[in-house]
Structure formats: C-alpha cells, structure tokens
Amino acid sequence: MSVFEAVTLACGLVYLVLLQWQAGPGWSWRLSLALLLVGWLVAADLTLWLALGLVVGTLSLFHRYKPLPMPSEINSQRLREWTRHLLLLCWGLVTVQYGIHIWQLGQGIPPWLMRPDVVDGFLPIAGGLGLRAWLSQGIVDPHHPAATITVLVFCLSALLLGRAFCAWFCPIGLVGEWLHRLRSRLLPGEWMPPRWLDAVLRSQKFLVLGFLLFIVLIAVPGAALPGYFTSPYHQAADMKMGAFFFNLTLISGLCLGWVLLLTATFRQGFCRYLCPYGAWLALLGLLTPLRMRRDPARCLRSAGYDCDKCSRACPSRIQVHQLIAVRSLECTSCMSCVAACPKRADALHLGSKARRLEPRWLLGLLCLLLLILPLLSYGLLGIWVSQTPLADRAQLLQLLPQLAH
C-alpha cells in the first residue's frame, strides 16, 4: 500500500477514534473503540503505522498552536467541506504518484514510486466482474483486487446511506463544483435546462450504467471469467483507462469535451447527468430507511410562513419544502437543506422515522465502510495490492495500442 493511501486510511481511523471518544463512557463506546483498535493492530503494517504517526503528529502540532475543534463542534457543511478537500488532496497526490510510476515504466526506468492500487477504483467493469467472480465462484481477481473491494464497499454504503458518498467523499464532485463556479464568474447566471431536457440529460448516467451492467452480468459468461482475468486487456485495464483521457483521440476528445461542458454549465452537472457510480448508488439507495425528512409540525410553513430556504439551498434542485420524506434519486444527503433550515424550526433531519442521524455520525459510518473495510481487506485478506509483476506491466504498457476493446 502506498503512503498516500495509508495516510487516507489513518485519517479515517483518527476521525473514528475522536468520534467514539466524544460519545462518552459506556459499553458501546468501549466496544466500538476496542474493535477499531484491534482491527488496526491486526491489519496494519509498517507503512500504515508510519502514516498514522504522521497524521497524529501533524494534528498535534496544529493543535498546539491553534486548538482544533472536535467533530461535534463543526457544522455539517464545514465538516463536509474539510472532508472533501482532504480527499481531493490525497487523490491529487495519488494521481501524481501513478503518473510518475507509469512514465518511468514507459521509459524503461525502474519506478521509484510504487503503483497506488486505489486507482483501480476507477475501473467499474473490472470491479464488477471481480465481485461477481468472488461471490459466485470464490475467485479473487489477482490483477485489480482493489477494484473489487471498491465496488463492494460502494454497494454496502449505498444500501445503508444512499448517495451520501457523492456529497461527503467524492473528489470529482468537488472539482465539478469548482468548474461550475469558474464558469459562473466568466458567464454569470445559474442556468437550468427545461424540464424535458433535464430528464433527457439525466437519462445519460442510467444508459451508461445499463451498458456497464450488461458487460458485468451478461456479456462475460461465468465460465469465461478465469480466462478473462488472465487476459492482457484486463491486466492493463488501468493503463487503458488513463490512455483514454491522456492520449486523446477524436472520440475520447469529444467525450471529455461533453463531460466538461455539462460539468461547467450546470450545477452538479457531472453528478446529475453523467456519473454511472452515482446512478448505481441512487438505485441501491432506494432500499435504505435513512433519508432526508421534514417534520410538517415544526416547519414554518405550517405556521403560515412562505419559507422555502431548504429547497433553495438544495444543490440537486429538490423541492424539499413540499415533501415529507425525500425519495429523489438525486438526493445525496449533503444536509445543505438542514443547514439552511431556520434554527427555531429545526424541521429537517437525516434518518429514519424514529431516529435522527447526526452529520458527524454519518461521516463516521462512511469512514468505517469506505476506509476501514479496505484496510481489513488489505491486512487480513491480502486482496488489495495488485499481483501483476512489474515486468509484465512494463510489457503491457508497450503493447497498449494493440489491446483493443
């Protein structure tokens, strides 16, 4: 596991420890904290210990000069903003690391930076096929196991928390917001397509998802999965994905241009119109009992006020003030509506009919699923790091133009 991946996991562990520490004494707090620490002790290697020391040391140094707030003292939107910026920084460093690794490999130089396996998270087909083979045949994909774990934890997070990953973790969504703000400065105005065009554009991500599901579930027969995993095309899937965007052809250039156009033109353009991961999380999220809920008895509209602050704050343009429970496929549980609701009303919350889920606990559950589970798969199951030999990868890189779809 690379240093930047380890630092990300260490950040998740530190947050969970702080969260449990604030929960106060009691058997549930002690049991949860003990399980976390035992999992780390069993799974962690030298890299992970060094990353944990780096994170704790950095936070201690900052806290010494400027006291850091505890999770309960940070409002939901500030907590979400800090989390996404931290993950974007980690992803940016991982991208640089992967780029240097591939460049040195292509130059015939032994890479002095290891390949970060988390890049396999951008391989939904490899991950879907790997998960299918693992569940149905007990076969572990040796070349892109991190893709399998990524798809698994995405599915689990969606079944439990809906599309919360999109709002709280996804760095691509944050970059999309930056592009939209830049466009808004150059060409002011909040542009919204007509309802019919919005529906057509939103169908794109479901069409892409349908295509991916067809390949994962139908196009590759179960008997062919072991042979597919040993094929050169599958072994080089991550390099093929990078070449699609960095060695632009006419088709890939048009695709990238369309992505940038929608992302910059409309608010949350990529998430709303293009992301197949978001479409999959949205569909699985229909099964979760946790969703944004409005209490009509507390809402100011029941007292005669014409308040729609929650709807105006919603980045997905959902009319929250007209709903009791938000069941829209576009809701990402970002809690912007909760933050906008007047405090004297306190009419909105995320949770079930019986219980509210605080923002810090939502982030804690995401950390547990999306950070700690990969840690356990890496340390206990040994199915995170790619087993493709470096010499084979260098040879595949030279053959890349010949590996057709």
Side-chain angles (χ1 to χ4, degrees), residues 366-405:
L366 283 169
C367 287
L368 185 63
L369 288 169
L370 301 175
L371 297 179
I372 303 304
L373 287 183
L375 163 70
L376 297 178
S377 68
Y378 165 73
L380 295 181
L381 303 179
I383 53 173
W384 180 262
V385 178
S386 173
Q387 302 302 311
T388 309
L390 194 61
D392 291 358
R393 190 174 295 279
Q395 185 178 7
L396 289 169
L397 185 59
Q398 300 302 323
L399 298 175
L400 209 58
Q402 305 173 28
L403 300 178
H405 292 275

Coordinates of all heavy atoms in Angstrom, one line a residue, residues 366-405:
L366 N -19.5 6.4 7.0 CA -18.8 6.4 5.7 C -17.3 6.1 5.9 O -16.8 5.3 5.1 CB -18.9 7.8 5.0 CG -20.3 8.1 4.4 CD1 -20.4 9.5 4.0 CD2 -20.5 7.2 3.2
C367 N -16.7 6.6 6.9 CA -15.3 6.3 7.2 C -15.1 4.8 7.5 O -14.2 4.1 7.0 CB -14.7 7.1 8.3 SG -14.5 8.9 8.0
L368 N -16.1 4.3 8.3 CA -16.0 2.9 8.6 C -16.1 2.0 7.4 O -15.3 1.0 7.3 CB -17.1 2.6 9.6 CG -17.1 1.2 10.2 CD1 -15.9 0.9 11.0 CD2 -18.3 0.9 11.1
L369 N -17.0 2.3 6.5 CA -17.2 1.5 5.3 C -16.2 1.6 4.3 O -15.7 0.7 3.7 CB -18.6 1.8 4.7 CG -19.8 1.3 5.5 CD1 -21.1 1.9 5.0 CD2 -19.9 -0.2 5.5
L370 N -15.9 2.9 4.0 CA -15.0 3.2 2.8 C -13.5 3.3 3.1 O -12.7 3.3 2.2 CB -15.5 4.5 2.1 CG -17.0 4.5 1.7 CD1 -17.4 5.9 1.2 CD2 -17.2 3.4 0.6
L371 N -13.2 3.3 4.4 CA -11.8 3.4 4.7 C -11.3 2.2 5.5 O -10.3 1.6 5.2 CB -11.5 4.7 5.5 CG -11.7 6.0 4.8 CD1 -11.4 7.2 5.7 CD2 -10.9 6.1 3.5
I372 N -12.0 1.8 6.5 CA -11.6 0.7 7.3 C -11.8 -0.6 6.7 O -10.9 -1.5 6.8 CB -12.3 0.8 8.7 CG1 -12.1 2.1 9.4 CG2 -11.8 -0.3 9.6 CD1 -10.7 2.5 9.6
L373 N -12.8 -0.8 5.9 CA -13.0 -2.1 5.2 C -11.9 -2.4 4.2 O -11.4 -3.5 4.1 CB -14.4 -2.1 4.5 CG -15.6 -2.3 5.5 CD1 -16.9 -2.4 4.7 CD2 -15.4 -3.5 6.4
P374 N -11.5 -1.4 3.4 CA -10.3 -1.6 2.6 C -9.0 -2.0 3.4 O -8.2 -2.8 3.0 CB -10.1 -0.3 1.8 CG -11.5 0.2 1.7 CD -12.1 -0.1 3.0
L375 N -8.9 -1.4 4.6 CA -7.8 -1.7 5.5 C -7.8 -3.2 5.9 O -6.8 -3.9 5.8 CB -7.8 -0.8 6.7 CG -7.0 -1.3 7.9 CD1 -5.5 -1.1 7.6 CD2 -7.4 -0.5 9.2
L376 N -9.0 -3.6 6.2 CA -9.1 -5.0 6.7 C -8.9 -6.0 5.5 O -8.3 -7.1 5.6 CB -10.5 -5.3 7.3 CG -10.8 -4.5 8.6 CD1 -12.2 -4.8 9.1 CD2 -9.7 -4.8 9.6
S377 N -9.4 -5.6 4.3 CA -9.2 -6.5 3.1 C -7.7 -6.5 2.8 O -7.2 -7.6 2.3 CB -10.0 -6.0 2.0 OG -9.5 -4.7 1.5
Y378 N -7.0 -5.4 3.0 CA -5.5 -5.4 2.7 C -4.7 -6.1 3.8 O -3.9 -7.0 3.4 CB -5.1 -3.9 2.7 CG -3.6 -3.7 2.8 CD1 -2.8 -4.0 1.7 CD2 -3.0 -3.2 4.0 CE1 -1.4 -3.8 1.8 CE2 -1.6 -3.0 4.0 CZ -0.8 -3.3 2.9 OH 0.5 -3.1 3.0
G379 N -5.1 -5.9 5.1 CA -4.2 -6.5 6.1 C -4.6 -7.9 6.5 O -3.7 -8.8 6.8
L380 N -5.9 -8.3 6.4 CA -6.3 -9.6 6.8 C -6.5 -10.6 5.6 O -6.1 -11.7 5.7 CB -7.7 -9.5 7.5 CG -7.6 -8.8 8.9 CD1 -9.0 -8.8 9.5 CD2 -6.6 -9.4 9.8
L381 N -7.1 -10.1 4.5 CA -7.4 -11.0 3.4 C -6.3 -10.9 2.3 O -6.2 -11.8 1.5 CB -8.8 -10.6 2.8 CG -10.0 -10.7 3.7 CD1 -11.2 -10.3 3.0 CD2 -10.1 -12.1 4.3
G382 N -5.5 -9.9 2.3 CA -4.5 -9.7 1.3 C -5.0 -9.6 -0.1 O -4.4 -10.1 -1.0
I383 N -6.1 -8.9 -0.3 CA -6.7 -8.8 -1.6 C -6.8 -7.3 -2.0 O -7.9 -6.9 -2.6 CB -8.0 -9.5 -1.7 CG1 -9.0 -9.1 -0.6 CG2 -7.8 -11.0 -1.7 CD1 -10.3 -9.7 -0.8
W384 N -5.8 -6.5 -1.7 CA -5.9 -5.1 -2.1 C -4.8 -4.8 -3.1 O -5.0 -4.1 -4.1 CB -5.7 -4.2 -0.9 CG -5.8 -2.7 -1.2 CD1 -4.7 -1.9 -1.4 CD2 -6.9 -1.9 -1.4 NE1 -5.1 -0.6 -1.7 CE2 -6.5 -0.6 -1.7 CE3 -8.3 -2.2 -1.4 CZ2 -7.4 0.4 -2.0 CZ3 -9.2 -1.1 -1.7 CH2 -8.7 0.1 -2.0
V385 N -3.6 -5.3 -2.9 CA -2.5 -5.0 -3.8 C -2.5 -5.9 -5.0 O -2.7 -7.1 -5.0 CB -1.1 -5.2 -3.0 CG1 0.0 -4.9 -3.9 CG2 -1.1 -4.3 -1.8
S386 N -2.3 -5.3 -6.2 CA -2.2 -6.0 -7.5 C -1.0 -6.9 -7.5 O 0.1 -6.6 -7.1 CB -2.1 -5.0 -8.7 OG -1.9 -5.7 -9.9
Q387 N -1.3 -8.1 -8.0 CA -0.2 -9.1 -8.1 C 0.4 -9.2 -9.5 O 1.2 -10.1 -9.8 CB -0.8 -10.5 -7.7 CG -1.4 -10.6 -6.4 CD -0.4 -10.3 -5.3 OE1 0.7 -10.8 -5.2 NE2 -0.8 -9.4 -4.4
T388 N 0.1 -8.3 -10.3 CA 0.7 -8.2 -11.7 C 2.2 -7.9 -11.5 O 2.6 -6.9 -11.0 CB 0.1 -7.2 -12.6 OG1 -1.3 -7.3 -12.5 CG2 0.6 -7.3 -14.0
P389 N 3.1 -8.8 -12.0 CA 4.6 -8.5 -11.9 C 4.9 -7.2 -12.7 O 4.3 -6.8 -13.7 CB 5.2 -9.7 -12.6 CG 4.2 -10.8 -12.5 CD 2.9 -10.1 -12.6
L390 N 5.9 -6.5 -12.1 CA 6.3 -5.2 -12.7 C 6.8 -5.4 -14.2 O 6.5 -4.6 -15.1 CB 7.4 -4.6 -11.9 CG 7.7 -3.1 -12.2 CD1 6.5 -2.2 -11.9 CD2 8.9 -2.6 -11.3
A391 N 7.5 -6.5 -14.5 CA 8.0 -6.7 -15.8 C 6.8 -7.0 -16.8 O 6.9 -6.5 -17.9 CB 8.9 -8.0 -15.8
D392 N 5.8 -7.6 -16.3 CA 4.6 -7.8 -17.2 C 3.9 -6.5 -17.4 O 3.4 -6.3 -18.5 CB 3.6 -8.8 -16.5 CG 4.2 -10.2 -16.5 OD1 5.3 -10.5 -17.0 OD2 3.5 -11.1 -15.9
R393 N 3.8 -5.7 -16.4 CA 3.2 -4.4 -16.6 C 3.9 -3.5 -17.6 O 3.3 -2.8 -18.4 CB 3.1 -3.7 -15.2 CG 2.2 -2.5 -15.3 CD 2.0 -1.9 -13.9 NE 1.3 -2.8 -13.0 CZ -0.1 -3.0 -13.0 NH1 -0.8 -2.2 -13.8 NH2 -0.7 -3.8 -12.2
A394 N 5.3 -3.6 -17.5 CA 6.1 -2.8 -18.5 C 5.9 -3.3 -19.9 O 5.8 -2.5 -20.9 CB 7.5 -2.9 -18.1
Q395 N 5.7 -4.6 -20.1 CA 5.5 -5.2 -21.4 C 4.1 -4.8 -21.9 O 3.9 -4.5 -23.1 CB 5.7 -6.7 -21.3 CG 5.5 -7.4 -22.7 CD 5.7 -8.9 -22.6 OE1 5.9 -9.4 -21.5 NE2 5.8 -9.5 -23.8
L396 N 3.1 -4.8 -21.0 CA 1.8 -4.5 -21.4 C 1.7 -3.0 -21.8 O 0.9 -2.6 -22.7 CB 0.8 -4.7 -20.2 CG 0.5 -6.2 -19.9 CD1 -0.2 -6.3 -18.6 CD2 -0.3 -6.9 -21.0
L397 N 2.5 -2.2 -21.1 CA 2.5 -0.7 -21.5 C 2.9 -0.5 -22.9 O 2.4 0.3 -23.6 CB 3.3 0.0 -20.5 CG 3.4 1.5 -20.6 CD1 2.0 2.1 -20.5 CD2 4.3 2.2 -19.6
Q398 N 3.9 -1.3 -23.3 CA 4.4 -1.2 -24.7 C 3.4 -1.7 -25.7 O 3.3 -1.2 -26.8 CB 5.7 -2.0 -24.8 CG 6.9 -1.5 -23.9 CD 7.2 -0.1 -24.2 OE1 7.2 0.4 -25.3 NE2 7.6 0.6 -23.1
L399 N 2.6 -2.7 -25.3 CA 1.6 -3.3 -26.2 C 0.2 -2.6 -26.1 O -0.7 -3.0 -26.7 CB 1.4 -4.8 -25.8 CG 2.6 -5.7 -26.0 CD1 2.3 -7.1 -25.5 CD2 3.1 -5.7 -27.4
L400 N 0.1 -1.5 -25.3 CA -1.1 -0.9 -25.0 C -1.9 -0.5 -26.3 O -3.1 -0.8 -26.4 CB -0.9 0.4 -24.2 CG -2.1 0.8 -23.2 CD1 -2.4 -0.4 -22.3 CD2 -1.7 2.0 -22.5
P401 N -1.3 0.1 -27.3 CA -2.1 0.5 -28.5 C -2.7 -0.7 -29.2 O -3.7 -0.6 -30.0 CB -1.1 1.2 -29.4 CG 0.0 1.6 -28.5 CD 0.1 0.6 -27.5
Q402 N -2.2 -1.9 -29.0 CA -2.7 -3.1 -29.7 C -3.8 -3.8 -28.9 O -4.4 -4.7 -29.4 CB -1.5 -4.1 -29.9 CG -0.4 -3.5 -30.7 CD 0.8 -4.5 -30.8 OE1 0.6 -5.7 -30.7 NE2 2.0 -3.9 -30.8
L403 N -4.0 -3.4 -27.7 CA -5.0 -4.0 -26.8 C -6.4 -3.4 -27.1 O -6.8 -2.4 -26.4 CB -4.7 -3.9 -25.3 CG -3.3 -4.6 -25.0 CD1 -3.0 -4.4 -23.5 CD2 -3.3 -6.1 -25.3
A404 N -7.1 -3.9 -28.1 CA -8.4 -3.2 -28.4 C -9.5 -3.7 -27.5 O -9.4 -4.7 -26.9 CB -8.7 -3.6 -29.9
H405 N -10.6 -2.9 -27.5 CA -11.8 -3.3 -26.7 C -12.4 -4.5 -27.3 O -12.4 -4.7 -28.5 CB -12.8 -2.1 -26.7 CG -12.2 -0.9 -26.0 ND1 -12.3 -0.8 -24.6 CD2 -11.6 0.2 -26.4 CE1 -11.8 0.4 -24.3 NE2 -11.3 1.0 -25.3

